Every structure is written in structure tokens, then in C-alpha cells.
């Protein structure tokens, strides 16, 4: 009996589903980073204001974490 003549086994496990395409590593943190363009940074646009607020928020959080680390090392 040739291998080509065999019937498929109905009890055989199904093939695993195809893996989903992997997202770039920054997608979890900034899902719309790939949509950032030069027009987003023009003064007076909503995008510019949002980016500015996000940058200020990031700086505040980083400063707070740095202050806590310094405080724990000094105290």
C-alpha cells in the first residue's frame, strides 16, 4: 500500500491554527505610534496638544519615580 493511497484518519488531531501576525513591540504601549506623522506635530492641532500632554505626563511620572528612588536611598 502506497502512502498516497491511505485514507486520512478521522481521529487524528487537527492541525494547529495559523499563528496571528506578531505586533511590533511598541504596540502594547503606544498602539497608534505608527500613525504619527509630521502633520501631527504642527502647532495648534489636536494631535500636537495630545502629544504635548502625554509628554508632560510622562516627564511627571518619571520625575516622581526618580524622587521616590532618591528619597529611599537618602532616608
Amino acid at each position: 500500500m502506497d502512502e498516497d493511497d491511505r485514507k486520512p484518519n478521522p481521529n487524528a488531531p487537527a492541525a494547529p491554527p495559523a499563528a496571528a501576525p506578531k505586533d511590533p513591540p511598541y504596540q502594547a504601549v503606544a498602539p497608534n505610534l505608527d500613525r504619527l506623522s509630521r502633520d501631527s506635530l504642527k502647532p495648534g492641532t489636536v494631535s500636537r496638544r495630545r502629544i504635548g500632554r502625554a509628554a508632560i505626563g510622562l516627564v511627571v511620572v518619571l520625575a516622581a519615580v526618580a524622587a521616590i528612588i532618591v528619597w529611599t536611598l537618602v532616608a
Side-chain angles (χ1 to χ4, degrees):
M1 180 181 252
D2 253 352
E3 287 187 34
D4 296 333
D5 294 337
R6 282 196 241 161
K7 293 181 182 178
N9 183 356
N11 295 328
K22 292 189 85 172
D23 289 333
Y26 61 81
Q27 283 296 106
V29 178
N32 292 327
L33 190 60
D34 56 343
R35 295 189 182 127
L36 186 66
S37 69
R38 185 167 286 183
D39 290 337
S40 300
L41 301 175
K42 286 185 178 175
T45 60
V46 174
S47 296
R48 168 95 180 239
R49 290 192 294 265
R50 287 182 181 166
I51 292 168
R53 285 188 213 134
I56 291 170
L58 181 62
V59 168
V60 168
V61 168
L62 291 175
V65 169
I68 290 170
I69 290 172
V70 169
W71 182 264
T72 57
L73 293 176
V74 173

